[in-house]
Amino acid sequence: FRFLFGVLIPYATLAVFAIGFVYRIVQWAKSPVPFRITTTCGQQKSMGWIRHQPLESPSNWLGVVGRMFLEVFFMRSLFRNTRTELSADGKLTYGTSLWLWIGAMAFHWSLLVILLRHLRFFTDPMPFFLPILETLDGFFQVGAPSIYISSFAILAALGYLLARRIVSPQIKAISLPGDYFALGLLLAIVLTGMAMRYTPIRADIAGVKELGYGLATFQPVAPKHLGLAFYLHLLLVCALLAYFPFSKLMHMGGVFLSPTRNMPNNSRAVRHINPWNPEVKAHTYAEWEDEFRDKIKGAGLPLEKDA
């Protein structure tokens, strides 16, 4: 039991995750993009006296890097997103989706902090920044164990994202079973992890460290006394990793391959030729006139040259 759930399943899951992730990225990277696909709301660079938007419509790769940085770390496009509603009198109104952006930011940043904190179980010695990160994350410590802000922030964010899909009729109508499954799986992982930290259902930290370090160094061991709660938590994490490459969660890697985000909008400065077009023999007007000269002259139509 311990070797199956502590060693074999995690290794199999990591293999599925790595192979599936690389396969999806390679398939997307092989898709030809012959033209600049622009979905911008800013002025493209053109004449020198027309002010353009370097982040909304970048004309070089430096601007693309800046736009991608804001997209990946601050979800700029989601921050600019708007929602539409039909009022009681039949008028279409527009408003901000600020709460959605706040929920998404809280979830992603908290998840990043939690993943970094878990490096303590896979490294020896720990990375130098981990004590600093844990101090900042546990700023509101009022006892032992310390209360991590990221744990409760990600719980609140996931609760909001799930409630939004259930309560909002518009979002509920376009939600798929996979959307609920991913959110439910993440919630289960967070809840089991918090239960092992903040309730009497504890895991042997030394044993978890031994298991994690053994997996990371390919010298697996299956310590005793880790408890069913820990194996349930680990199994849920494995399920998430195995599901990851086949779900919408792949936007983590796909955002870097989005042609609407990773390409400069320089179609006015650079001519882009479609590589799919076969070579076509052109038929000029002069050749057409020579071919039908007698008929054109017989019809009394003018010719550019008489002979």
Side-chain angles (χ1 to χ4, degrees):
F1 174 86
R2 289 183 285 110
F3 195 79
L4 173 64
F5 287 93
V7 178
L8 295 182
I9 291 179
Y11 273 145
T13 299
L14 287 174
V16 172
F17 173 78
I19 295 173
F21 193 97
V22 172
Y23 176 79
R24 293 289 298 272
I25 293 296
V26 170
Q27 290 298 110
W28 286 336
K30 288 168 60 178
S31 301
V33 186
F35 298 113
R36 295 297 188 256
I37 301 176
T38 57
T39 56
T40 65
C41 53
Q43 174 63 45
Q44 181 181 357
K45 184 177 181 180
S46 55
M47 302 298 182
W49 50 273
I50 300 178
R51 182 181 178 183
H52 83 286
Q53 298 291 330
L55 287 177
E56 288 293 348
S57 186
S59 59
N60 52 43
W61 290 108
L62 183 61
V64 171
V65 171
R67 180 172 65 180
M68 287 295 298
F69 177 83
L70 293 176
E71 187 70 26
V72 172
F73 290 97
F74 299 101
M75 302 180 188
R76 188 165 182 264
S77 61
L78 187 60
F79 179 77
R80 299 172 60 90
N81 189 34
T82 58
R83 56 182 172 83
T84 58
E85 292 181 352
L86 195 63
S87 60
D89 55 358
K91 292 183 179 180
L92 191 63
T93 59
Y94 298 87
T96 62
S97 297
L98 190 60
W99 282 109
L100 175 59
W101 176 78
I102 293 174
M105 284 287 290
F107 165 70
H108 286 89
W109 277 100
S110 298
L111 181 61
L112 176 62
V113 171
I114 292 171
L115 290 176
L116 291 176
R117 282 201 284 106
H118 277 64
L119 286 177
R120 65 164 47 249
F121 299 118
F122 302 96
T123 57
D124 188 22
M126 293 187 303
F128 70 93
F129 60 85
L130 267 186
I132 302 174
L133 180 65
E134 291 184 343
T135 301
L136 295 175
D137 196 17
F139 179 76
F140 294 108
Q141 180 175 358
V142 293
S146 58
I147 297 176
Y148 287 129
I149 302 172
S150 58
S151 299
F152 291 91
I154 195 172
L155 183 62
L158 286 171
Y160 165 74
L161 294 174
L162 180 60
R164 175 175 170 269
R165 290 193 177 274
I166 297 174
V167 174
S168 174
Q170 295 88 348
I171 305 300
K172 186 176 181 180
I174 62 174
S175 295
L176 300 175
D179 301 323
Y180 296 104
F181 179 74
L183 287 172
L185 198 54
L186 286 164
L187 268 172
I189 292 172
V190 171
L191 289 173
T192 53
M194 293 180 67
M196 286 188 292
R197 181 169 183 82
Y198 301 113
T199 69
I201 308 174
R202 301 291 178 87
D204 181 9
I205 299 300
V208 175
K209 173 81 175 183
E210 185 180 2
L211 175 65
Y213 188 73
L215 290 173
T217 57
F218 296 100
Q219 297 175 348
V221 292
K224 297 180 180 179
H225 311 302
L226 289 181
L228 290 177
F230 170 77
Y231 283 112
L232 176 61
H233 181 71
L234 181 61
L235 185 62
L236 291 170
V237 172
C238 291
L240 179 66
L241 288 178
Y243 176 68
F244 198 101
F246 312 101
S247 68
K248 294 179 180 179
L249 301 175
M250 271 300 297
H251 68 264
M252 183 182 76
V255 65
F256 297 99
L257 298 176
S258 172
T260 63
R261 300 284 93 192
N262 65 5
M263 305 178 76
N265 186 18
N266 58 357
S267 55
R268 292 180 179 175
V270 180
R271 183 185 180 190
H272 304 282
I273 300 176
N274 190 344
W276 300 338
N277 290 342
E279 187 176 353
V280 179
K281 185 181 182 304
H283 193 58
T284 65
Y285 176 79
E287 293 173 339
W288 177 83
E289 191 176 78
D290 290 338
E291 183 178 351
F292 298 99
R293 180 173 301 280
D294 295 338
K295 293 181 175 58
I296 296 174
K297 185 180 292 186
L301 298 175
L303 294 166
E304 284 193 353
K305 59 180 182 179
D306 293 334

